[in-house]
């Protein structure tokens, strides 16, 4: 089957495995079959506000068996990246997922009104205040490195689009004129962290968005499969860049023949 051609499968969540609180019908049986066949699965998400335990619980809740150790969030990838550079003191705009990931990687998360920090880390934060954004701007002006878990413009909610991590980040980049380093899709660090988690080797990226999932895989020269159960359409895949290696109606294509 197709999945056998790869050492690990890097799976986007929303639009691939579930939509809202419901599984995409093909997902639970396909993933169960892939597990029986011994495939290495990694679940990756730009959402930094949830912990791996929360992501695994959400998947389990829609009928997909998942272990926290198989989940790589943009928050975890950010923490890994910063820890390999020696960590330091970080001021955080973000929720529990980011804060916990940083602390567990040995990075000192500083609250209150610090005069200086080594890092300002930005993720989605549904209760951010002007005061907190102002502090982040001041710290960046005083030399803190600006790192964002992701740059998603919006956060899709039931009643429409809410400002995403990228929108919050833009407050800081607009104020300071400083560009951020971005960890999540379509940038490389999240994919590389996911491939490490999957044991390395040759990955296949599976996603529903050309502009993030597929774009990121293409930049790295990795194979990708666009599934049509989410945002991007077949027409877009045929007319817009980047080109996925494969376009499939849904994730069950992984169980199908190797080529085509
Ligand atoms: Mg998606």
């Amino acid at each position: 089957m197709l999945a056998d051609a790869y050492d690990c499968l890097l799976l986007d969540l929303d639009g691939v495995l579930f939509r809202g609180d419901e599984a995409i019908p093909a997902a639970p049986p396909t993933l169960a079959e892939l597990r029986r066949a011994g495939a290495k699965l990694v679940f990756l998400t730009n959402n930094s506000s949830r912990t791996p335990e929360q992501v695994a619980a959400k998947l389990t809740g829609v009928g997909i068996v998942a272990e926290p150790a198989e989940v790589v969030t943009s928050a975890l990838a950010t923490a890994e990246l910063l820890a390999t550079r020696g960590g330091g003191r970080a001021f955080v705009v973000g929720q529990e997922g980011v804060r916990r990931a940083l602390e567990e990687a040995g990075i000192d998360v500083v609250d209150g009104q610090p005069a200086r920090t080594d890092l300002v880390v930005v993720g989605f934060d549904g209760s951010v205040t002007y005061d907190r954004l102002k502090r982040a701007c001041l710290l960046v002006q005083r030399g803190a490195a600006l790192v964002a878990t992701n740059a998603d413009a919006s956060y899709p909610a039931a009643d429409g689009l809410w400002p995403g991590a990228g929108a919050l980040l833009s407050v800081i980049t607009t104020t300071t004129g400083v560009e951020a380093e971005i960890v999540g899709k379509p940038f490389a660090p999240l994919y590389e962290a996911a491939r490490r988690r999957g044991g390395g080797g040759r990955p296949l990226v599976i996603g529903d968005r050309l502009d993030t999932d597929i774009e990121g895989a293409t930049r790295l020269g990795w194979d990708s499969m666009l599934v049509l159960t989410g945002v991007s359409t077949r027409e877009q895949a045929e007319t817009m860049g980047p080109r996925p290696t494969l376009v499939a109606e849904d994730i069950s294509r992984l169980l199908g023949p190797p080529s085509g």
Side-chain angles (χ1 to χ4, degrees):
M1 61 182 175
L2 174 65
D4 292 334
Y6 298 93
D7 297 309
C8 53
L9 304 174
L10 311 186
L11 297 147
D12 175 46
L13 306 180
D14 213 342
V16 175
L17 303 178
F18 55 74
R19 263 191 309 251
D21 288 325
E22 284 190 29
I24 287 166
T30 300
L31 289 200
E33 184 60 35
L34 288 168
R35 274 193 197 283
R36 274 194 291 278
K40 276 272 194 189
L41 308 175
V42 182
F43 304 99
L44 71 161
T45 175
N46 260 7
N47 186 329
S48 65
S49 56
R50 287 188 168 163
T51 64
E53 289 76 15
Q54 289 169 326
V55 173
K58 160 110 195 193
L59 286 167
T60 304
V62 300
I64 294 166
V65 177
E67 299 295 328
E70 294 171 320
V71 176
V72 177
T73 67
S74 63
L76 278 185
T78 301
E80 273 185 33
L81 183 75
L82 296 175
T84 61
R85 293 182 186 162
R89 297 170 77 236
F91 185 81
V92 176
V93 174
Q95 295 183 176
E96 192 198 353
V98 190
R99 303 175 67 90
R100 254 196 41 205
L102 292 172
E103 283 167 351
E104 284 171 7
I107 292 158
D108 190 9
V109 174
V110 187
D111 280 310
Q113 310 281 318
R116 285 179 187 279
T117 57
D118 303 300
L119 302 158
V120 167
V121 179
V122 180
F124 178 74
D125 188 339
S127 54
V128 70
T129 60
Y130 183 88
D131 237 35
R132 211 159 175 81
L133 290 168
K134 179 180 76 181
R135 181 57 44 182
C137 290
L138 291 170
L139 291 166
V140 168
Q141 289 167 74
R142 294 170 191 167
L146 178 60
V147 180
T149 60
N150 68 91
D152 296 18
S154 58
Y155 179 88
D159 54 354
L161 299 176
W162 298 356
L168 302 180
L169 176 65
S170 73
V171 172
I172 302 169
T173 56
T174 302
T175 303
T176 62
V178 172
E179 259 193 64
E181 180 178 16
I182 297 157
V183 170
K185 295 181 271 188
F187 299 94
L190 177 63
Y191 292 87
E192 283 166 350
R195 179 165 72 157
R196 279 197 299 277
R197 188 65 66 85
R202 184 179 182 218
L204 178 67
V205 172
I206 299 113
D208 70 308
R209 290 185 69 130
L210 289 165
D211 60 344
T212 53
D213 303 313
I214 306 305
E215 168 73 22
T218 304
R219 286 186 192 190
L220 285 161
W222 296 359
D223 282 3
S224 62
M225 183 171 101
L226 180 76
V227 292
L228 301 175
T229 44
V231 171
S232 297
T233 65
R234 187 182 293 278
E235 292 68 37
Q236 289 168 340
E238 284 165 0
T239 56
M240 296 163 39
R243 288 286 172 95
T245 315
L246 275 146
V247 179
E249 290 302 323
D250 61 40
I251 197 176
S252 66
R253 178 65 185 83
L254 289 169
L255 306 173
S259 65

